[in-house]
Amino acid sequence: MRPAVEPPDRVRDLLARMTVEEKVAQLQSIWVGVDEGGGVAPHQHDMAVEPVDFDASIKHGIGQLTRAFGTRPVEPNLGARAVARSQRQIMEANRFGIPAMVHEECLTGLTAWQATIFPSPLCWGATFDPVLVEHMGAAIGQTMRTAGVHQGLAPVLDVVRDLRWGRVEETIGEDPFLVGLIGGAYVRGLESAGVVATLKHFAGYSSSRAGRNFGPVSIGPRELADVLLPPFEAALKDGARSVMNAYTDNDGVPAAADESLLTQRLRDEYGFDGTVVADYFAISFLQTLHGIAQTAADAAGLALRAGIDVELPTVNCYGEPLLAAIDAGTVDIGLIDRAVSRVLTQKWQLGLLDDDYSPEPDGPVDLDPAASRALALDLARQSIVLLQNDILPLSPGARLAVIGPRADERHAVMGCYSFPVHVGVHHPDVPLGVSAPTVVEALSNDYTVTYAQGCPVLGGDDAGIAEAVAAAEDADCCVVVLGDRTGMFGAGTSGEGCDVADLRLPGRQEELLEAVLGTGKPVVLVLLVGRPYEISRQADRLAAILCGFLPGEEGSTALADVLSGRVDPSGRLPVSFPRTGAGHPSTYLAPSLGRRTDVSSVDPTPLFPFGHGLGYTPVTWLDADCSPSWPTDGVCRLSVTLRNDHDRPATEVVQVYLHDPVAEVVRPVQQLIACSRVTLPPGGTTRVDFDLHADLTCYTGLSGRRQVDPGTVELRIGRSSVDMVSTLSLELTGPRRYVGFDRVLRPTQVAMPIA
């Protein structure tokens, strides 16, 4: 893979010799077999997507092939050969032999039949482990390259603002620092394999009103700059080479037509030189949903001027409508050349313009190798969050009643962008494609298990709940597995287009839980969910609560490992659990008046806060110290010392929050600026050193620029956003500084065992 540089001679030569039709073809994509794929994109059927005349579509070349693996079940080796065959046809059809880029979804691994299903992004956030997530990204990227795929449509860097939004499960969390840290790690991994990472969704998508998908966004410039944009900035610095626009409008301007966002900010301010690709049908939506374009040609012109280079997933606006607009003089050919230059430069980086390029697969294609399954298991284990505990680990030989709609369902551990949920549900006769044990199966390896569903995720009857009660009464302990049915556009309770009006558990699940609690038997609640739910009515009567945010194909095995005590739970919440629905939407990033006050009767205090998580072997915090002053252009060294007093390894996540008591504008009470996942050996002591640059204190002031202010600040160090162990006051010294895209976004840190 070549580095990003100025367009090479090869690109300039091609541009000089290409016709307008050949240039425009490089901005297009085609979606073969889409009629078989079911509803995997918004308004897919409304867009009149029809079977593709492949030969006619590629006569001038083509920019991208859409989802050759992720549209229908395709045997991997046959799929790789089919991609190679299509590439040969494309190369032979156009005068310059330019192949297409092939893109796929890869949010929980490559969205393809028989590919590893990794834990969902909320699980990545729960690990607080960028190293492990980077390894996962590299594994996903290597798998994609063996199949002939060049671009992955991930990660999602939207910061959670409203838990009712269906796409919460696709996000990494509610904190911009954590999202940038973990999302950037995924980008580094994917890009290390030579696959183009695509940042989604730029920008503001997660701030839609009432958490409704595609809903209008009405946020201020500071929320955009200080909450929503930092993860994108971090991931761009980590090497992401593509960006995808958000569907939503912000204050009346759709992102797909926002030149100030996609060009002035992204290109001019951030220096981004990669490609901007349209979210599926987003250019058409400028006409059909947003109502700011009268024709498809108008929509094409708006998107090109804003900075969208490639129309996905198929040709609607960047085809005949765009050519007609060029002929009419309403679209400047310079905009075409600008976009084509970016597309061809990216193809050159990928080696697609080399004279010796061959699309043939190197060998057999295995999309779920043993190493990837092992990595999926490690990540699932680290992501499980123990929220509350009076009973775990379970006693050996216990008789368990395993109850609930998610207890014996293979899809229960899978997000909406996993292949079985995203595509497989439209092909019920096709096997799952990977091994994914259920919670019942995983626990049966260690315990005597009686299973009762009780009720499905939605619906059910009294007889089912009575059966569950009977099973509970005959057991030593009950493991109740509740949660979401992931799906798309209303087909589930979580996932794209599956927004909710409140945060009560779906269907009759809360009623089922109450009935089992009524038996008097100890109850362990296991949540397999795409968002936190309101469980405060039952929490104080539960013996333990475990949360697994859709932990992938090895998720049930990981849950059994934690429940049995083979693995110490070590995940931490990337999103807060609400105490009451009335207190939502709210995140821990609230300012003072966004928290509990005596001027409102609504208390937004969470039941379980951001960063919370328990283990079986608590770590002893010894001390924390730092220098008393901190130059506004320099670094503060913070040291935290931990000790493990147990005879087994212990894990802690050290979290460092900044509190700025006086600022030019209203600020969050505290905000995460550093964290470190630390595993201590039995009896071991470890010191964690953070070098915190003053840029980490910056915020957007009255001038609209990010600034670092002198004055007193506090570093709050602890186990979560509310469980603080140490508070250190220090002085930022020196003049106010204004910082830009080149600011330091992360601390450097070292964890060192000490005697």
Side-chain angles (χ1 to χ4, degrees), residues 49-64:
V49 179
E50 298 176 354
V52 172
D53 182 339
F54 192 76
D55 291 337
S57 298
I58 65 172
K59 64 182 179 180
H60 297 300
I62 197 72
Q64 295 228 5

Side-chain angles (χ1 to χ4, degrees), residues 293-526:
Q294 187 169 7
T295 66
D298 293 339
L302 287 171
L304 265 175
R305 278 189 287 275
I308 291 182
D309 303 311
V310 181
E311 181 179 23
L312 301 182
T314 191
V315 185
N316 286 314
C317 302
Y318 279 16
E320 291 302 325
L322 178 56
L323 290 168
I326 296 169
D327 286 342
T330 57
V331 171
D332 187 341
I333 190 66
L335 294 177
I336 305 296
D337 287 347
R338 181 180 74 174
V340 175
S341 177
R342 294 166 181 165
V343 169
L344 292 178
T345 297
Q346 198 149 90
K347 289 187 175 185
W348 173 77
Q349 291 171 358
L350 293 164
L352 301 182
L353 302 187
D354 292 354
D355 292 335
D356 60 352
Y357 168 73
S358 171
E360 304 303 323
D362 293 334
V365 177
D366 181 1
L367 301 184
D368 189 27
S372 289
R373 290 194 68 91
L375 188 55
L377 177 59
D378 284 347
L379 205 148
R381 284 169 170 164
Q382 291 195 14
S383 72
I384 292 168
V385 185
L386 179 61
L387 300 176
Q388 175 175 303
N389 186 34
D390 295 320
I391 194 173
L392 297 179
L394 295 171
S395 301
R399 294 177 302 126
L400 301 181
V402 182
I403 294 166
R406 302 286 81 189
D408 202 29
E409 167 57 54
R410 299 191 195 286
H411 289 78
V413 292
M414 302 175 190
C416 76
Y417 269 79
S418 65
F419 187 87
V421 174
H422 201 65
V423 179
V425 293
H426 303 293
H427 303 269
D429 296 332
V430 176
L432 193 67
V434 295
S435 173
T438 70
V439 174
V440 167
E441 291 169 344
L443 285 174
S444 295
N445 295 325
D446 298 295
Y447 302 97
T448 300
V449 169
T450 300
Y451 163 67
Q453 183 192 55
C455 65
V457 172
L458 296 174
D461 53 35
D462 293 346
I465 294 178
E467 180 186 358
V469 168
E473 288 174 337
D474 196 38
D476 300 323
C477 180
C478 305
V479 178
V480 180
V481 189
L482 307 180
D484 281 308
R485 184 183 72 203
T486 54
M488 302 284 288
F489 310 116
T493 61
S494 174
E496 185 174 356
C498 298
D499 313 316
V500 295
D502 61 53
L503 296 173
R504 302 288 289 270
L505 282 163
R508 300 185 69 178
Q509 293 184 81
E510 187 175 330
E511 184 181 347
L512 171 63
L513 182 57
E514 286 286 357
V516 176
L517 283 166
T519 66
K521 296 298 179 76
V523 176
V524 175
L525 174 61
V526 175

Side-chain angles (χ1 to χ4, degrees), residues 578-613:
R579 186 175 301 274
T580 62
H584 194 77
S586 177
T587 74
Y588 93 95
L589 290 174
S592 293
L593 289 175
R595 298 188 170 205
R596 183 177 184 177
T597 71
D598 58 5
V599 296
S600 172
S601 57
V602 175
D603 182 2
T605 304
L607 177 65
F608 299 114
F610 174 84
H612 171 73

Side-chain angles (χ1 to χ4, degrees), residues 1-8 10-11 101 145 150 191 194-196 239-242 272-275 341-354:
M1 184 182 69
R2 297 178 176 86
V5 296
E6 288 297 312
R10 172 75 165 137
V11 171
M101 286 180 63
R145 284 309 297 259
H150 309 104
E191 290 277 359
V195 172
V196 174
R241 287 182 287 167
S242 191
F272 177 66
D273 61 3
T275 58
S341 177
R342 294 166 181 165
V343 169
L344 292 178
T345 297
Q346 198 149 90
K347 289 187 175 185
W348 173 77
Q349 291 171 358
L350 293 164
L352 301 182
L353 302 187
D354 292 354

